[in-house]
Amino acid sequence: MAFRKEQLYRYRKYVGLSRNYLTLQKLINALKIESKLFTADPDLSGLYPYNLFVDLHNSCNLKCPLCFMGRNEVIPRENKMSLENYQELVAPFSPYVFQVFLQNNGEPFLNKDVYRIIRFNKANRMATIASSNFSLEIAPESIIESGLDYLCLSIDGASEETYSKYRVNGRFGKVIENLKKLIALKRKMRSKTPFIEWQTLVSRYNHTEMQAIRSMAYSMGVDFVRFANLNFFPFFGKEERRALQNEWLPPLPAFRAFEDQGENLLRNGRTKCFWLWRTVIINCDGGILPCCLYDTKEWGNLYREPFEQIWNSETYRRARRSRGLASTENDDICDRCFAPFLRKNQPGSFLRVNKKSPCIAVPSSP
C-alpha cells in the first residue's frame, strides 16, 4: 500500500494527537483490532473501532460539483445530532476511541452545538478533528476555547476566481477573513490548538496556483498545506464519470489517483480495507456506515440496536471475510469499491510539501 508524503505527515499528526489521549484500555483494544486486521479475522466481538466519524449535520452551505451533498444525491436523513443525542451515541465509544472526526457529508459548523460537542470529546479524552469549508459565520474564540485539536479547511485556490470553480456558493474573502481572525486569536491566546491544515483539491482549474496557495497559506500562519485528489467515487455511470474526469482532472499524474480504473482494479484484486476494522461512520440520524467514501444504505442504527450487534452483524462479517475484496456472491458497497488505497502493489506518487521544499509532484517510479 503506497502513501503520499503529505498523507504520512498528516497521519503522524493524528498519532501525535492520540498520544495525548492514550489509556491502557485504548491501547489494548487498538492492538487487538490491528491483530484482527492483520489476520483478516471478521470476528470483533468485545472490541470497538478506535476511530469515529460523526456527521453533525445533514446539509451544507456549498454546492461542490463532485460532492454527494453538492449534487443533492445524499440520502435524506433527519438531523438528530443535538448535544444530548451526541452524548448518548458517542459516550459508549469513549473508553476505546482515540479521535473523533466531525465530518462526513455535512458542514459541522452548521450545528449550533458543535462547540459543546468538542468540549464533551475533550472531557472524555477523545481528540477532535473537524473539516470545514469555513465560508460561514464562525466563532474563533469558541473554536480555541472548546479544545478543538485539528482543523482541516477546504480552500481550493489562491483567488476568488479559481476557488469558486469548485466551491460553488463559497466566498473566498469570507474564508480568508475567518482564517486570519482564527490565527490572530490563536496567537493572542498563545494556544497550540487547533492545528490548522489548508487542504486543496487539485483540479485543472487550480493546479497552476499550487505554489501561490502554499505561499499564501504559510505567510498567514497556517500549520500545514495539503494537496489532495478529487474523488469520483459517487459516479458509477462510466460515461458520466469519464466526462467529469475530463472536465476536472489536472494534467499532473500525481493528482489523477481516482481516474477510472475500476475494471482493472476489480480484475487484479485488492488489499484489505482497514476501514472495516478500525473505523465507523455515525450519521446525524444514528445510522452506521462502513466508510466515508460512499453514501449508502445504513448497516444499522444506534437508536434501534446495540452497536455490538451492528459491529458483528453478518453484513460486517461478510465484508471482512472477503477482506473488502470484490465478490460475485454479494451486492453491497464493498463489492463495488475501487479505492486507490486498496490497490495491490500500487506504485503511487508523492508530493513534496513542507515549508522548505517546492510544491511539485514527483512520481515515485517511472
Side-chain angles (χ1 to χ4, degrees):
M1 186 183 301
F3 290 100
R4 296 162 62 86
K5 286 186 177 179
E6 81 278 17
Q7 284 178 316
L8 289 174
Y9 180 84
R10 195 187 209 191
Y11 295 156
R12 286 198 300 269
K13 292 299 297 184
Y14 291 166
V15 171
L17 291 179
S18 299
R19 287 200 301 267
N20 299 330
Y21 300 92
L22 180 65
T23 66
L24 181 59
Q25 186 176 16
K26 290 182 181 183
L27 179 60
I28 291 173
N29 177 75
L31 290 175
K32 288 182 178 179
I33 287 288
E34 289 303 306
S35 175
K36 296 279 189 177
L37 172 58
F38 182 77
T39 59
D41 186 346
D43 184 6
L44 298 186
S45 300
L47 300 176
Y48 276 72
Y50 58 82
N51 292 316
L52 281 186
F53 279 66
V54 184
D55 209 0
L56 297 187
H57 211 278
N58 198 44
S59 63
C60 183
N61 52 317
L62 303 191
K63 295 289 183 182
C64 303
L66 298 181
C67 171
F68 290 114
M69 190 71 71
R71 293 171 64 90
N72 293 320
E73 294 179 1
V74 68
I75 296 173
R77 297 181 176 93
E78 183 181 356
N79 279 312
K80 292 184 177 181
M81 204 58 75
S82 64
L83 172 65
E84 293 72 26
N85 287 348
Y86 181 91
Q87 291 171 331
E88 176 187 350
L89 296 179
V90 174
F93 295 89
S94 61
Y96 312 97
V97 165
F98 287 104
Q99 47 206 4
V100 182
F101 295 78
L102 299 182
Q103 60 209 60
N104 191 28
N105 291 315
E107 166 56 53
F109 288 99
L110 288 176
N111 187 310
K112 62 182 177 61
D113 288 329
V114 62
Y115 304 115
R116 292 197 293 166
I117 285 171
I118 297 169
R119 292 190 186 97
F120 171 82
N121 290 345
K122 193 80 171 180
N124 285 271
R125 298 187 59 79
M126 296 180 290
T128 306
I129 300 164
S131 179
S132 173
N133 60 61
F134 236 40
S135 182
L136 71 172
E137 295 301 323
I138 55 100
E141 188 169 346
S142 295
I143 290 177
I144 297 170
E145 291 180 343
S146 68
L148 179 63
D149 294 279
Y150 196 112
L151 178 62
C152 175
L153 302 178
S154 300
I155 312 174
D156 303 323
S159 64
E160 180 70 49
E161 181 180 3
T162 51
Y163 168 85
S164 60
K165 288 288 186 181
Y166 188 76
R167 300 293 162 181
V168 178
N169 292 347
R171 296 172 290 165
F172 182 73
K174 182 65 173 179
V175 175
I176 298 303
E177 176 189 355
N178 283 338
L179 180 53
K180 287 181 176 178
K181 287 181 179 178
L182 177 61
I183 292 173
L185 192 58
K186 182 181 169 183
R187 288 171 175 166
K188 181 180 179 181
M189 297 174 67
R190 298 184 179 180
S191 175
K192 294 182 179 180
T193 57
F195 183 90
I196 301 173
E197 173 187 321
W198 175 315
Q199 176 188 270
T200 292
L201 299 177
V202 180
S203 72
R204 74 181 186 90
Y205 298 105
N206 65 13
H207 72 92
T208 59
E209 284 193 350
M210 291 171 66
Q211 183 61 48
I213 290 169
R214 175 183 179 276
S215 298
M216 175 182 292
Y218 284 134
S219 67
M220 291 173 59
V222 167
D223 296 300
F224 176 49
V225 179
R226 176 174 179 258
F227 295 98
N229 276 269
L230 285 164
N231 182 348
F232 291 88
F233 279 145
F235 315 110
F236 289 100
K238 183 181 295 185
E239 296 304 318
E240 181 184 20
R241 190 165 63 240
R242 289 180 177 173
L244 289 168
Q245 288 173 172
N246 290 335
E247 177 183 357
W248 287 98
L249 286 182
L252 305 174
F255 296 100
R256 302 178 71 92
F258 291 93
E259 195 166 12
D260 193 358
Q261 301 185 44
E263 293 81 0
N264 291 334
L265 177 59
L266 295 178
R267 183 169 58 248
N268 296 333
R270 299 178 288 188
T271 188
K272 289 175 288 188
C273 178
F274 51 80
W275 281 85
L276 294 170
W277 281 264
R278 297 173 179 167
T279 309
V280 296
I281 308 291
I282 304 177
N283 277 319
C284 60
D285 62 350
I288 294 290
L289 295 182
C291 78
C292 68
L293 295 177
Y294 300 94
D295 190 39
T296 187
K297 182 180 177 181
E298 61 187 33
W299 286 21
N301 192 291
L302 294 178
Y303 288 117
R304 296 195 298 267
E305 52 197 313
F307 175 73
E308 295 87 347
Q309 183 175 322
I310 301 170
W311 189 229
N312 285 286
S313 64
E314 180 55 28
T315 302
Y316 257 111
R317 287 174 180 250
R318 183 181 63 207
R320 294 184 190 121
R321 280 196 297 269
S322 65
R323 300 187 303 165
L325 306 182
S327 169
T328 57
E329 300 177 2
N330 309 310
D331 183 28
D332 58 41
I333 200 65
C334 292
D335 298 324
R336 303 191 299 275
C337 178
F338 46 90
F341 57 79
L342 296 181
R343 298 172 191 169
K344 286 186 176 179
N345 303 316
Q346 172 73 2
S349 58
F350 298 90
L351 181 68
R352 306 184 187 279
V353 177
N354 55 51
K355 296 183 181 180
K356 296 181 180 179
S357 60
C359 290
I360 56 174
V362 183
S364 60
S365 61

